[in-house]
Amino acid sequence: VQLQASGGGLVQAGGSLRLSCAASGSIFAINDMGWYRQAPGKQRDLVALTTSGNMTNYADSAKGRFIISRDNAKNTVYLQMNSPEPEDTAVYYCYARVVRDWSRRYQYNYWGKGTLVTVSS
């Protein structure tokens, strides 16, 4: 299973940016999908998460500015970043809890390689 993220780059504060992450490989289903981020010298923290039933969970810093969504048919998760701030500068990692078989006994966590988002002031 591979997670391929795209959409990172340089954005001005107050602008917008959309991240995408597509999962591919031996996938029966995907439970949670989401985004984490890691700023230089800091730990990796949750940004937003969505369940297979489209329930969402956001970090306080993301609430009201970022929107997570997913397309189950494409095994893809998105993060719409609105009004980003310089403090949002980080490497963003996508995450997926992948179900590998019909019994659902085999579920594993997968991570993408990360995409850098830089927000200029």
Side-chain angles (χ1 to χ4, degrees):
V1 175
Q2 290 186 329
L3 302 184
Q4 182 64 50
S6 60
L10 177 64
V11 61
Q12 279 194 324
S16 64
L17 195 68
R18 190 193 196 204
L19 306 182
S20 301
C21 177
S24 62
S26 180
I27 298 170
F28 177 78
I30 301 179
N31 288 335
D32 295 350
M33 293 189 83
W35 295 91
Y36 287 72
R37 70 186 183 187
Q38 187 167 18
K42 296 188 177 181
Q43 66 181 20
R44 188 177 299 187
D45 290 325
L46 171 72
V47 178
L49 203 67
T50 177
T51 70
S52 57
N54 284 317
M55 294 183 68
T56 57
N57 182 33
Y58 292 92
D60 287 343
S61 59
K63 288 178 181 177
R65 299 187 301 127
F66 297 175
I67 301 172
I68 190 170
S69 60
R70 65 191 282 175
D71 184 332
N72 290 328
K74 296 181 179 180
N75 290 332
T76 298
V77 63
Y78 305 95
L79 184 69
Q80 179 66 40
M81 302 174 61
N82 298 321
S83 299
E85 302 165 351
E87 293 73 23
D88 296 316
T89 294
V91 176
Y92 284 70
Y93 296 91
C94 62
Y95 158 83
R97 177 76 171 175
V98 175
V99 181
R100 296 294 299 273
D101 72 314
W102 66 270
S103 74
R104 296 184 176 269
R105 286 181 58 190
Y106 302 100
Q107 301 187 29
Y108 303 97
N109 296 328
Y110 291 92
W111 294 89
K113 288 186 178 180
T115 185
L116 176 63
V117 173
T118 302
V119 184
S120 64
S121 57

